[in-house]
Amino acid sequence: MLTDLIGTPYKIYQVKGNKYNLDSILLANFVGKINKKIKNIYDFGCGNGVLMFYLSLKSDSKITGIEIQEELFRLAEKNINRNVLQKKLFVINKDIREIDIKNADVIVSNPPYFKKTKNVKISKSTLRQIARHEIKIDLDSLLKSASKSLKSKGSLYLSFKPERLTEVIKISKNYMLETKELRFVHPYVFKKPNLVLIKLVKNSNEGVFTQPPLVLYNDKGEMSMELKTIYKTN
């Protein structure tokens, strides 16, 4: 299925069980402006390439996606070719635990949010299972691989579940990653956050800055002014 990528000039192909969602748009927005000195950006678990496309509008850097699932890797390739971005965007079909990267200035990842347990109901779609649950990669392996791949002072941007934030902070310290910036995302102002956006920096000093919360909808279910702005600027 070919669909418009909201807020961009691009059209992308998607498959059932792996359609892009708001989390990718919010994470791209959270990355903010990308310094011209940034040369190498990687997307760990790039899926069909959505996050890469958003970042391509912010930077002229080389952006490489790593995707373990061959079906999604092929789809990302197809989307890159469809939008004539072969000189800027690249994708590799590999497990991030097996890659040999040492030059990453920035890594972004919208990883599986949930641990696979007997009490958690999972989708019948294999693509969705792997995208949402720690089947192929867990949090520890993700942070370890990111740290190994980043240059000193390089940045890792994650979207994750707030209830696992303590786990992120604790594990990241084992791999020389310091949590430097947070933003909690609330569906409504009176609801608890259901997403947290996280910036970690390799070999950095301690000290965390918390951005103002991002509220997505007003009490009538309409998009907040900030969300409308994010949709237009990404």
Side-chain angles (χ1 to χ4, degrees), residues 28-39:
N29 180 73
F30 180 67
V31 171
K33 293 182 179 179
I34 297 176
N35 192 301
K36 290 183 178 180
K37 294 181 180 180
I38 299 299
K39 301 298 181 184

Side-chain angles (χ1 to χ4, degrees), residues 132-149:
R132 293 180 59 81
H133 299 275
E134 294 181 339
I135 296 171
K136 294 289 187 179
I137 189 77
D138 61 15
L139 179 61
D140 187 277
S141 297
L142 171 67
L143 293 171
K144 181 179 181 180
S145 297
S147 179
K148 182 183 71 173
S149 302

Side-chain angles (χ1 to χ4, degrees), residues 5-227:
L5 191 56
I6 295 172
T8 79
Y10 306 131
K11 292 181 180 292
I12 62 163
Y13 293 99
Q14 301 188 96
V15 292
K16 187 176 180 180
N18 195 259
K19 295 181 179 180
Y20 82 94
N21 57 31
L22 181 58
D23 294 4
S24 295
I25 299 174
L26 298 181
L27 183 57
N29 180 73
F30 180 67
V31 171
K33 293 182 179 179
I34 297 176
N35 192 301
K36 290 183 178 180
K37 294 181 180 180
I38 299 299
K39 301 298 181 184
N40 294 291
I41 299 174
Y42 292 86
D43 181 358
F44 279 9
C46 69
N48 61 7
V50 166
L51 192 49
M52 297 168 63
F53 286 107
Y54 280 116
L55 293 178
S56 74
L57 298 175
K58 295 172 171 283
S59 173
D60 292 326
S61 306
K62 176 183 176 182
I63 305 174
T64 304
I66 313 295
E67 176 52 53
I68 193 171
Q69 298 190 74
E70 185 173 359
E71 181 177 353
L72 295 181
F73 160 73
R74 297 296 179 195
L75 194 59
E77 274 194 327
K78 184 177 181 180
N79 285 331
I80 290 169
N81 293 334
R82 166 67 177 72
N83 292 282
V84 197
L85 288 168
Q86 300 95 322
K87 293 183 179 180
K88 187 174 184 178
L89 303 186
F90 307 87
V91 62
I92 299 170
N93 183 204
K94 205 163 187 178
D95 188 326
I96 64 170
R97 292 169 294 188
E98 299 174 357
I99 57 174
D100 185 21
I101 296 170
K102 298 290 190 296
N103 67 338
D105 296 297
V106 170
I107 295 173
V108 296
S109 186
N110 190 355
Y113 293 154
F114 305 106
K115 296 181 180 182
K116 187 183 178 184
T117 66
K118 293 180 180 179
N119 299 325
V120 176
K121 184 178 180 180
I122 64 174
S123 171
K124 293 180 180 180
S125 165
T126 301
L127 291 178
R128 190 167 177 80
Q129 286 176 18
I130 294 172
R132 293 180 59 81
H133 299 275
E134 294 181 339
I135 296 171
K136 294 289 187 179
I137 189 77
D138 61 15
L139 179 61
D140 187 277
S141 297
L142 171 67
L143 293 171
K144 181 179 181 180
S145 297
S147 179
K148 182 183 71 173
S149 302
L150 281 168
K151 295 178 180 178
S152 183
K153 306 303 181 183
S155 299
L156 168 64
Y157 294 87
L158 296 177
S159 59
F160 218 59
K161 285 299 179 184
E163 55 266 33
R164 297 188 67 186
L165 177 58
T166 302
E167 190 180 352
V168 173
I169 295 172
K170 182 179 179 180
I171 295 174
S172 63
K173 284 181 175 290
N174 296 334
Y175 301 114
M176 301 175 293
L177 295 169
E178 282 292 336
T179 304
K180 299 300 295 180
E181 200 166 331
L182 300 171
R183 191 170 199 194
F184 291 93
V185 180
H186 301 249
Y188 297 92
V189 70
F190 49 85
K191 293 285 189 179
K192 65 181 181 180
N194 57 6
L195 188 73
V196 61
L197 304 169
I198 310 167
K199 178 183 178 181
L200 304 106
V201 177
K202 183 175 179 179
N203 296 330
S204 176
N205 296 325
E206 292 184 345
V208 183
F209 171 72
T210 303
Q211 290 190 19
L214 170 57
V215 179
L216 300 180
Y217 302 97
N218 63 29
D219 58 1
K220 295 181 181 179
E222 299 170 339
M223 284 193 292
S224 65
M225 288 302 298
E226 185 169 7
L227 182 55

